[in-house]
Amino acid sequence: MATLEQCMTALDGFVGRLAAADAARDLDRSVSCRLTDLQQVVQGRLARGSVRDMTALPDGPAVPKADIRLTMSSDDLLALTAGELSFGPAWASGRVKLEAGLRDMLRLRSLL
């Protein structure tokens, strides 16, 4: 199991790469990643080509729902960001979950 600090670093890089892509340039969305084994939710904002305000909160019903939501284990997050796990197969097998509106999903599919 990865630490929360490792996950925060990995997410900052992962979401930062998404934010820097041309297809995401005009996005202004809240993003979250639920880390199932750590029982934490990392939230931030994807806006104007960068990611802002990444914070970790204990998982629970009081956590606000983000526009773009990822769910995975901490080890899968590290494997995904290190290039050891491909997003498509991980999503298809249920190891990684992605929830977003239809328009965001269409934009994100070209990025992931």
Side-chain angles (χ1 to χ4, degrees), residues 48-104:
R48 296 183 199 95
S50 65
V51 65
R52 299 185 178 127
D53 305 324
M54 295 291 282
T55 57
L57 304 167
D59 193 5
V63 175
K65 191 174 179 181
D67 298 321
I68 300 169
R69 300 172 301 281
L70 292 162
T71 302
M72 66 190 82
S73 72
S74 60
D75 289 336
D76 284 343
L77 171 64
L78 293 185
L80 186 70
T81 58
E84 300 164 4
L85 179 65
S86 295
F87 185 85
W91 175 76
S93 69
R95 287 175 66 179
V96 173
K97 294 179 182 160
L98 172 64
E99 299 173 78
L102 181 59
R103 191 178 324 176
D104 290 336

